[in-house]
């Protein structure tokens, strides 16, 4: 548990000179293909944000028009005050009233291979019915609903039903453990949980209901559980609390209307890791989030009416919320959704899906791309990928080699790559190329989106010269920004608005090149990015310390070829367990312990036992030193504040 060392300089080492303009063929068909026009709109979005955002917002349906586009009393914001809308209406009803009524909204493929397609009308009917079910179970506008599911089509149905009646959802990734579930359910005080018996992944079942059941022993406030039958594994339901989805839906009628909601009505809470303490419940509200996800989806993915669009994220993360569900459906897109793993039954599953469904746009993560590189080119090469016209990445910095592989092997040098930088907190893309007008450079998320005033500053908030590393901050409010940390406004102010007063602090280091392109250099706080998912070092440490053998733990990230970052834990054991430390079995036990406490994503790649941890005189663990040791590098930089110099030598010995 150390303080942030924001004062340390960030060195920029990446030098990448390649630039790729869109092909003439792509540009000619692109929605936005005049660079001067894009420049004009971007300027307008900064200089006259009201005019710009009002125009975008008016492409959506409002039950009641807004009176004020933006009210900003830093760090508190309101977008489209006085306006009333419903995101489920904008995703569904609006299209059903148009020629899109019978267009496929979701094409879903299960891991075992079954395919289910929902047209906009069919999806609306299911959502209306499930919204009625929620009401019948007593869910009212404003009540929180926790959702713990796999990638079944009923997951988006459940989310849209919540949005329809104004009940904020909190989707908890299906890989999280029971205790992670307890923390989140408690924090948002959900009274209803939606789950399923299990989900299919890598040919086996990921059990979900049993995890919920265990969690609920510690969550007495939960009154009802709706269970989708997916795998068919027998489960024991508790009468009066647990209900089968299919039984409730059998008697449900369509017709539950979309509730007109105030623009600032809470839409969802999504938990993410911060640098300290328990996970943060990032709160997003209706109007701004709708407008921001709508615009960015339309422009960055350059959506065409006949496209099949596939985002490979899990809906349990923000990417799934914004770019599987809400952005694309507001645009009337056809979304492909896949339930399972990329290596089932073979290593070519993704390419097989693209070939069979003729996918046009693929949005995935650098960690997946690096895995595919490792698996070998023969897998994509065995398939016809000619339907692809645009590729995207998100979640972590992409190394130029992986970017080039994506371009050459998957995109066959035809498809632009949109590298999109954003966060759970930002709600939608912040830095990204609009592909018909912004040439791309391998490894850069290019330039700020409209309405985004991004700058790179030093610790005092002064803009640093181009080419020099610094902290990425956002100077102006944007529509999809988080409104607060649920139940903890103080933390919202401290974490995001206090490092550089008046600016949103992203927690990322970056530099800008002479063309105004941004290059993200990773986190500057105690957050590790494993496979594109944020984990707080503090959470992993807390999990370790809760094991009876552990006295103290410090967790750091180290570069990992596939996952971006791997986790190394330095652990000192209690006296009576020191001997046990000699047993390799304890290392494995601790790794499993963390999996059980948080989820397998957080399992340390390596545990190192150490007698003591390096600390400053004020008692803070010197994580920077541990990071250097974990990466096998030399200890550089300043160690003068170290309390006990012999620790360093001993840590090296204990390697
Ligand atoms: O460090 C940045 C990295 O992921 C963090 C946000 O993580 P999360 O809230 O889980 O959201 C991930 C999906 C939006 C950022 O602070 N990150 C995300 N996208 C990129 C990125 N780093 C570099 N390039 C990106 N395109």
């Amino acid at each position: 548990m150390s303080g942030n060392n924001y004062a340390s300089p960030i060195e920029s080492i990446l030098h990448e000179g390649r630039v790729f303009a869109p092909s003439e063929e792509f540009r000619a068909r692109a929605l936005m293909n005049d660079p001067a026009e894009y420049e004009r709109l971007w300027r307008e979005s900064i200089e006259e944000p009201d005019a710009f955002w009002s125009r975008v917002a008016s492409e959506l349906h409002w039950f009641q028009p807004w009176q004020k586009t933006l009210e900003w009393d830093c760090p508190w914001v309101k977008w489209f005050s006085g306006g009333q809308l419903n995101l489920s209406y904008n995703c569904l009803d609006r299209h059903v009233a148009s020629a899109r009524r019978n267009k496929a909204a979701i094409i879903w493929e299960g891991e075992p291979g079954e395919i289910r397609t929902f047209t906009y009308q069919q999806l609306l009917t299911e959502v209306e019915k499930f919204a009625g079910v929620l009401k019948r179970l007593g869910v009212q506008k404003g009540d929180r609903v926790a959702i713990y599911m796999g990638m079944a089509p009923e997951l988006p149905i459940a989310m849209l039903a919540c949005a329809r009646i104004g009940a904020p959802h909190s989707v908890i990734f299906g890989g999280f453990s029971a205790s992670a579930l307890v923390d989140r359910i408690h924090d948002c005080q959900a009274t209803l949980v939606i789950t399923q018996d299990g989900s299919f992944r890598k040919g086996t079942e990921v059990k979900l209901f049993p995890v919920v059941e265990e969690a609920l022993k510690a969550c007495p406030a939960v009154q009802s559980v709706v269970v989708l039958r997916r795998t068919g594994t027998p489960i024991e339901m508790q009468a009066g609390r647990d209900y089968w989805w299919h039984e409730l839906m059998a008697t449900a009628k369509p017709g539950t209307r979309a509730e007109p909601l105030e623009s600032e009505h809470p839409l969802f809470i999504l938990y993410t890791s911060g640098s300290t303490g328990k996970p943060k419940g990032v709160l997003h509200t209706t109007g701004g989030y709708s407008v921001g996800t709508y615009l960015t989806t339309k422009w960055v993915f350059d959506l065409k009416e006949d496209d099949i669009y596939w985002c490979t994220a899990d809906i349990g993360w923000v990417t799934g919320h914004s770019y599987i569900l809400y952005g694309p459906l507001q645009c009337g897109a056809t979304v492909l959704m896949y339930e399972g793993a990329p290596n089932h039954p073979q290593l070519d599953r993704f390419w097989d899906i693209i070939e069979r469904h003729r996918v046009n746009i693929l949005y995935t993560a650098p960690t997946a791309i690096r895995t595919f590189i490792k698996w070998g080119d023969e897998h994509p090469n065995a398939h016809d990928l000619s339907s692809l016209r645009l590729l995207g990445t998100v979640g972590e910095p992409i190394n130029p080699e992986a970017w080039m592989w994506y371009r050459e092997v998957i995109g066959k040098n035809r498809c632009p790559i949109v590298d999109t930088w954003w966060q759970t907190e930002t709600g939608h893309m912040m830095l990204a190329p609009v592909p018909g007008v912004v040439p791309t450079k391998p490894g850069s998320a290019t330039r700020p989106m409209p309405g985004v005033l991004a700058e790179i500053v030093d610790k005092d908030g002064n803009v640093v010269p181009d080419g020099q590393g610094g902290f990425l901050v956002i100077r102006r409010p944007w529509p999809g920004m988080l409104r607060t940390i649920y139940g903890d406004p103080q933390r919202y102010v401290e974490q995001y608005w206090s490092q550089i007063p008046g600016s949103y602090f992203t927690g990322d280091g970056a530099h800008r090149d002479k063309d105004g392109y941004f290059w993200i250099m990773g986190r500057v706080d105690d957050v590790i990015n494993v496979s594109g998912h944020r984990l707080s070092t503090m959470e992993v440490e807390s999990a370790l310390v809760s094991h009876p053998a552990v006295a103290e733990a410090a967790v750091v990230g180290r570069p990992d070829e596939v996952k971006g970052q791997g986790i190394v834990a330095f652990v000192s054991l209690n006296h009576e367990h020191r001997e046990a430390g000699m047993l390799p079995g304890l290392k494995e036990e601790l790794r499993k312990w963390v999996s059980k406490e948080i989820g397998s994503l957080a399992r340390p790649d390596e545990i190192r036992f150490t007698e003591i941890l390096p600390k400053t005189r004020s008692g803070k663990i010197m994580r920077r030193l541990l990071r250097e040791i974990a990466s096998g590098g030399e200890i550089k930089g300043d160690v003068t504040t170290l309390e006990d110099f012999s620790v360093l030598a001993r840590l090296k010995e204990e390697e």
Side-chain angles (χ1 to χ4, degrees):
M1 338 231 151
S2 81
N4 297 322
N5 191 10
Y6 292 138
S8 57
I10 301 170
E11 273 175 50
S12 150
I13 45 163
L14 191 73
H15 296 286
E16 172 60 58
R18 289 168 286 199
V19 182
F20 295 92
S23 68
E24 192 41 43
E25 187 197 349
F26 185 93
R27 209 192 57 80
R29 283 198 66 211
L31 193 73
M32 178 77 69
N33 57 12
D34 176 357
E37 171 69 357
Y38 182 59
E39 198 55 39
R40 190 189 67 72
L41 287 168
W42 194 89
R43 293 247 140 264
E44 184 200 27
S45 76
I46 298 297
E47 284 158 15
E48 293 171 66
D50 285 16
F52 178 84
W53 289 113
S54 290
R55 215 173 40 244
V56 179
S58 59
E59 291 179 28
L60 299 174
H61 177 269
W62 295 75
F63 296 105
Q64 190 76 250
W66 60 94
Q67 266 114 46
K68 268 198 112 150
T69 309
L70 169 64
E71 288 173 78
W72 178 229
D73 176 16
C74 184
W76 310 106
V77 74
K78 287 184 183 162
W79 281 93
F80 310 109
S81 294
Q84 289 188 354
L85 76 167
N86 186 294
L87 182 48
S88 145
Y89 189 99
N90 275 312
C91 287
L92 300 168
D93 309 56
R94 197 163 56 94
H95 305 308
V96 165
S98 78
R100 289 187 182 133
R101 179 174 174 221
N102 300 317
K103 175 177 174 175
I106 296 178
I107 301 172
W108 175 83
E109 181 163 313
E111 196 187 69
E114 66 273 59
I115 290 167
R116 291 167 70 192
T117 301
F118 296 81
T119 64
Y120 274 93
Q121 176 66 68
Q122 288 166 334
L123 192 61
L124 173 62
T125 303
E126 293 302 300
V127 169
E128 285 182 342
K129 281 168 63 181
F130 196 66
V133 164
L134 290 175
K135 281 185 158 184
R136 229 163 72 206
L137 290 173
V139 178
Q140 292 180 5
K141 180 172 156 183
D143 290 349
R144 273 82 54 213
V145 173
I147 305 181
Y148 183 69
M149 297 177 77
M151 287 282 283
E154 286 79 3
L155 170 55
I157 290 170
M159 293 163 78
L160 288 161
C162 288
R164 197 162 186 85
I165 63 171
H169 55 68
S170 185
V171 181
I172 301 157
F173 171 61
F176 277 120
S177 66
S179 68
L181 205 55
V182 171
D183 289 346
R184 287 157 175 78
I185 291 174
H186 268 304
D187 191 76
C188 71
Q189 298 164 303
T191 49
L192 183 131
V193 179
I194 307 168
T195 187
Q196 53 192 77
D197 46 4
S199 180
F200 290 116
R201 199 167 167 92
K202 287 194 203 151
T204 58
E205 182 182 10
V206 178
K207 292 196 188 310
L208 294 167
F209 181 79
V211 180
V212 170
E213 215 181 15
E214 193 187 330
L216 292 196
K217 288 180 196 151
C219 305
V222 171
Q223 287 155 12
S224 328
V225 180
V226 180
V227 189
L228 173 78
R229 182 179 279 158
R230 167 70 184 126
T231 55
T233 306
I235 57 171
E236 231 166 85
M237 314 243 304
Q238 197 176 80
R241 187 194 68 180
D242 305 339
Y243 304 88
W244 282 116
W245 174 294
H246 60 269
E247 287 178 3
L248 294 168
M249 288 292 267
T251 53
K253 297 251 177 315
T256 303
R257 68 183 191 111
E259 187 83 29
L261 300 169
E262 294 296 327
S263 178
E264 286 299 331
H265 186 78
L267 174 68
F268 66 82
I269 300 163
L270 186 59
Y271 287 87
T272 187
S273 299
S275 52
T276 52
K278 60 186 171 100
K280 300 181 281 196
V282 170
L283 179 78
H284 284 288
T285 58
T286 308
Y289 176 85
S290 299
V291 173
T293 50
Y294 167 72
L295 177 82
T296 47
T297 306
K298 184 168 142 184
W299 284 16
V300 174
F301 292 125
D302 185 49
L303 277 176
K304 303 279 181 292
E305 205 55 62
D306 57 359
D307 276 332
I308 294 188
Y309 160 89
W310 183 23
C311 165
T312 69
D314 190 289
I315 293 188
W317 309 108
V318 75
T319 304
H321 282 55
S322 300
Y323 297 108
I324 293 180
L325 190 55
Y326 292 125
L329 291 195
Q330 282 188 99
C331 291
T334 295
V335 173
L336 184 99
M337 183 176 167
Y338 169 57
E339 178 183 46
N343 53 353
H344 186 82
Q346 311 283 350
L347 299 179
D348 65 345
R349 182 63 182 264
F350 274 22
W351 321 120
D352 179 49
I353 289 176
I354 290 170
E355 179 173 15
R356 277 188 290 105
H357 293 278
R358 309 304 295 152
V359 170
N360 307 103
I361 303 169
L362 174 69
Y363 190 35
T364 193
T367 187
I369 296 168
R370 289 191 293 263
T371 305
F372 298 139
I373 295 174
K374 225 174 64 177
W375 287 347
D377 295 5
E378 63 271 28
H379 305 293
N381 286 347
H383 292 275
D384 174 6
L385 305 180
S386 61
S387 58
L388 288 172
R389 62 177 198 85
L390 181 64
L391 304 173
T393 75
V394 60
E396 53 184 311
I398 180 164
N399 44 313
E401 295 69 37
W403 196 98
M404 288 306 297
W405 182 89
Y406 199 27
R407 178 180 162 85
E408 286 164 9
V409 180
I410 306 305
K412 313 288 182 214
N413 294 313
R414 277 183 300 106
C415 309
I417 296 178
V418 289
D419 176 354
T420 63
W421 177 91
W422 56 294
Q423 305 176 301
T424 306
E425 293 88 341
T426 70
H428 49 77
M429 297 164 184
M430 299 293 278
L431 305 175
V434 171
V437 286
V438 178
T440 54
K441 302 185 185 187
S444 168
T446 74
R447 291 165 33 182
M449 288 298 293
V452 176
L453 194 59
E455 276 176 343
I456 295 166
V457 300
D458 63 18
K459 66 179 173 23
D460 301 316
N462 303 312
V463 175
V464 301
D466 282 346
Q468 191 173 310
F471 306 116
L472 177 64
V473 297
I474 314 293
R475 299 288 206 189
R476 298 262 184 91
W478 63 98
M481 65 188 266
L482 81 164
R483 299 307 196 252
T484 190
I485 298 295
Y486 188 76
D488 198 350
Q490 194 53 35
R491 194 171 174 199
Y492 166 70
V493 176
E494 276 164 16
Q495 295 252 302
Y496 302 109
W497 300 96
S498 303
Q499 310 289 345
I500 310 290
S503 294
Y504 171 82
F505 190 74
T506 64
D508 279 2
H511 76 272
R512 209 177 75 154
D513 69 17
K514 60 178 185 355
D515 301 326
Y517 279 50
F518 286 70
W519 300 79
I520 304 293
M521 291 143 61
R523 302 289 305 181
V524 296
D525 55 16
D526 295 331
V527 171
I528 322 178
N529 191 322
V530 179
S531 302
H533 302 128
R534 269 159 64 178
L535 293 170
S536 128
T537 53
M538 158 78 191
E539 271 176 278
V540 183
E541 285 163 6
S542 308
L544 283 164
V545 174
S546 70
H547 187 283
V550 176
E552 209 175 14
V555 163
V556 296
R558 71 158 174 225
D560 182 285
E561 223 179 273
V562 172
K563 296 192 289 186
Q565 281 192 295
I567 300 178
V568 181
F570 292 84
V571 170
S572 72
L573 297 174
N574 285 321
H575 252 316
E576 64 272 29
H577 288 90
R578 290 256 164 92
E579 287 305 302
M582 300 295 121
L583 303 172
L586 184 58
K587 290 193 175 177
E588 195 43 39
E589 185 181 322
L590 291 176
R591 295 175 73 229
K592 283 199 185 128
W593 178 268
V594 175
S595 283
K596 184 167 176 294
E597 289 291 302
I598 308 178
S600 55
L601 248 186
R603 179 171 34 224
D605 295 278
E606 192 186 340
I607 304 251
R608 290 194 185 189
F609 292 131
T610 169
E611 223 169 284
I612 32 174
L613 294 166
K615 293 199 182 139
T616 62
R617 275 163 229 163
S618 62
K620 287 182 178 165
I621 294 170
M622 294 188 79
R623 218 173 280 275
R624 177 173 54 81
L625 299 185
L626 295 177
R627 262 197 293 270
E628 283 165 7
I629 293 168
S631 316
E634 280 301 299
I635 310 282
K636 296 187 289 274
D638 186 17
V639 292
T640 49
T641 52
L642 190 64
E643 179 203 35
D644 174 359
F645 282 100
S646 65
V647 172
L648 266 190
R650 273 183 277 161
L651 273 170
K652 296 281 293 174
E653 275 165 25
E654 280 159 19
E655 268 175 40

